[in-house]
Amino acid sequence: MKFSMLAVPGSAPGGFISGVDSKGEKAFSINDYKGKFLVIVFYHGDWECQEYLQAFSDLQSKFSSVKAEVVGCSTDSTKVHQCWIKTDREDGGFSGRLNLALWSDPAGSLASQYD
């Protein structure tokens, strides 16, 4: 596993990325997180990392208490993300309860900016 980190203070690449959160599908911007630390968890794909993302989701309130937000990012589409979130937990999903946004980076262009 490879870790990449920006120097603090640093700035993340700009632009918009499609994703889903508890309200549904939307376009996200780094500017949505201005004034907060942003933790982007890049992972291989939905249904492969449920335990890790569930742990981040469960800890979201702790991250928020230190002005940080966690988002997940994979090459899966927003439709796949929505399906995964709605899938029962015993089948590898989140039973509709995920406390973080999932971004869709099908071409890996955002991920490559942190290589």
Side-chain angles (χ1 to χ4, degrees), residues 4-99:
S4 182
M5 188 179 233
L6 291 174
V8 177
S11 60
F16 289 90
I17 189 164
S18 296
V20 298
D21 64 10
S22 60
K23 298 173 188 153
E25 187 173 342
K26 69 179 233 178
F28 291 87
S29 167
I30 294 298
N31 290 333
D32 296 339
Y33 304 92
K34 195 169 186 135
K36 299 179 182 180
F37 295 102
L38 179 60
V39 179
I40 306 173
V41 180
F42 293 96
Y43 63 99
H44 294 285
D46 296 352
W47 281 280
E48 294 179 33
C49 299
Q50 188 260 1
E51 290 178 15
Y52 298 110
L53 289 177
Q54 187 64 58
F56 279 110
S57 177
D58 292 345
L59 294 170
Q60 186 68 290
S61 64
K62 290 190 186 269
F63 281 100
S64 295
S65 73
V66 294
K67 297 185 179 182
E69 293 291 326
V70 179
V71 299
C73 186
S74 79
T75 56
D76 287 312
S77 70
T78 56
K79 299 298 180 203
V80 172
H81 287 332
Q82 288 173 329
C83 182
W84 189 35
I85 292 168
K86 292 176 185 175
T87 299
D88 289 335
R89 195 165 182 169
E90 59 268 4
D91 293 327
F94 299 98
S95 299
R97 293 180 298 277
L98 185 65
N99 298 321

